[in-house]
Amino acid sequence: RKEVEQDPGPFNVPEGATVAFNCTYSNSASQSFFWYRQDCRKEPKLLMSVYSSGNEDGRFTAQLNRASQYISLLIRDSKLSDSATYLCVVSTFAGGTSYGKLTFGQGTILTVHP
Amino acid sequence: DAGVTQSPTHLIKTRGQHVTLRCSPISGHKSVSWYQQVLGQGPQFIFQYYEKEERGRGNFPDRFSARQFPNYSSELNVNALLLGDSALYLCASSLAGRAGDRRTEAFFGQGTRLTVV
């Protein structure tokens, strides 16, 4: 079983739609959670950090359920510029301190069309 | 402020050759991690360095090695290149912190696209 698994996608949605991505992780030692977006042939860019039960940033809402080891990302009012690959990422800690090891899901491709 | 910078941006090498990739972290960041991303997959962890010490290693062969310098920049070395080493190599920098600490957020360079022929 992969450490981080995401919806395989791809997702094709019209502008203005609401889209949700789901992600599960298997390592219960994982304690920091992130969503990154990656444009074609570019580097991943941090979209949101998820540190508690959930947080919101404009049109984006991330939720975390530690009991179910489940993370989600909701995008409301989709824009053409939201088209990208969305990566679910967890950080696992050794001895209470993270030195930055990230484990990525395989990514979900989102295409927003007019 | 400058972000994470990597060099070179593109590289073509022949099977069996050696390659060195370089990374300069964000000013003040002491943690540098390396990732390999092949087409269609998420990045895979290769190495993590903090304060010039290796703090983690992914499931990669011994042909892969890395080091971190006193100024926190880092090099990734790959020996005896194989066709399967063709990938985007990403460097990320972060501060170190505890669970829930924003200092654990990692920021990536633009990557080095390595093609082995």
Side-chain angles (χ1 to χ4, degrees), chain A residues 85-103:
Chain A
T85 297
Y86 289 83
L87 296 160
C88 175
V89 185
V90 304
S91 181
T92 305
F93 292 74
T97 301
S98 166
Y99 295 111
K101 176 191 172 182
L102 304 177
T103 303

Side-chain angles (χ1 to χ4, degrees), chain B residues 27-101:
Chain B
S27 177
H29 285 192
K30 299 180 179 180
S31 174
V32 171
S33 301
W34 288 94
Y35 297 82
Q36 180 196 66
Q37 187 176 26
V38 299
L39 198 62
Q41 297 182 22
Q44 297 293 311
F45 173 73
I46 309 175
F47 282 110
Q48 198 282 330
Y49 277 80
Y50 179 75
E51 289 280 19
K52 302 182 291 295
E53 289 190 16
E54 183 182 306
R55 300 288 182 168
R57 182 184 183 116
N59 187 25
F60 280 81
D62 291 343
R63 299 185 295 108
F64 288 77
S65 63
R67 55 180 176 168
Q68 186 177 34
F69 299 99
N71 66 353
Y72 304 111
S73 66
S74 179
E75 284 183 353
L76 175 70
N77 297 283
V78 187
N79 292 323
L81 285 166
L82 303 175
L83 295 179
D85 295 330
S86 296
L88 179 66
Y89 288 85
L90 294 160
C91 172
S93 80
S94 68
L95 300 167
R98 296 196 170 269
D101 191 330

